[in-house]
Amino acid sequence: CVLVSGTSDVPVLLSEHGQREILVILSQAASSITAAYARMKRMAHDGGSCRFRVVVNRVDSDAAALRIFKNFARVAYGYLDVKLDLVGFIPADPCVQRAAAQGRSVIDWNPKAPPVRAFHLLAEAIGRGPGGNSAHSPPRTGISGAPSRLAI
């Protein structure tokens, strides 16, 4: 699995099945969505099969994360030949900024903060891999019971 930021070059790794798996983290900011899409487009056109796994960061609710993912996926499906899975999302929480201001991780600073639970759920989902759920099985749940994978 490869982590994609909107700005840096990232080496591409192949999964055991020869498919590139790329983790895309985006927020609701237009610049984040644009950068993630541009990066995804470049990687998709480099050749080979790609599966993009999406994490929506800094959202206020389950519904907001699902809306952002659905809109992003609709555009990606319309213009690129890609596969997308919603891995999950990280809720906006001032604890993250407070911990960062003190030079600490939020996991150490406040282990019970909602983003910490989200990080644990995301780690489990990423560890399961994209095949951890089939289109015919019920989706695993993410934060607050929202689907952590969504087929559109």
Side-chain angles (χ1 to χ4, degrees), residues 86-137:
L86 178 61
V87 178
F89 56 95
I90 303 167
D93 192 303
C95 289
V96 176
Q97 287 78 23
R98 289 186 201 128
Q102 294 181 10
R104 299 175 62 192
S105 78
V106 71
I107 294 170
D108 293 332
W109 191 75
N110 185 355
K112 296 186 185 225
V116 174
R117 183 171 190 284
F119 293 139
H120 289 292
L121 290 170
L122 289 170
E124 290 173 13
I126 291 166
R128 275 193 308 271
N133 229 6
S134 76
H136 302 291
S137 65

Side-chain angles (χ1 to χ4, degrees), residues 59 61-67 69-70 86-90 117 121-122 125 128 133 138-150:
V59 290
S61 67
D62 302 357
L66 292 172
R67 179 183 45 78
F69 175 76
K70 284 180 180 181
L86 178 61
V87 178
F89 56 95
I90 303 167
R117 183 171 190 284
L121 290 170
L122 289 170
R128 275 193 308 271
N133 229 6
R140 288 182 166 81
T141 57
I143 304 159
S144 303
S148 60
R149 296 191 68 216
L150 179 68

Side-chain angles (χ1 to χ4, degrees), residues 67-79:
R67 179 183 45 78
I68 291 164
F69 175 76
K70 284 180 180 181
N71 290 337
F72 185 74
R74 187 176 309 114
V75 172
Y77 291 148
Y79 295 98

Side-chain angles (χ1 to χ4, degrees), residues 10-29:
V10 179
V12 176
L13 302 177
L14 296 178
S15 72
E16 62 208 37
H17 305 292
Q19 183 179 51
R20 296 184 299 174
E21 293 181 9
I22 298 127
L23 182 64
V24 179
I25 301 173
L26 56 89
S27 71
Q28 61 189 344

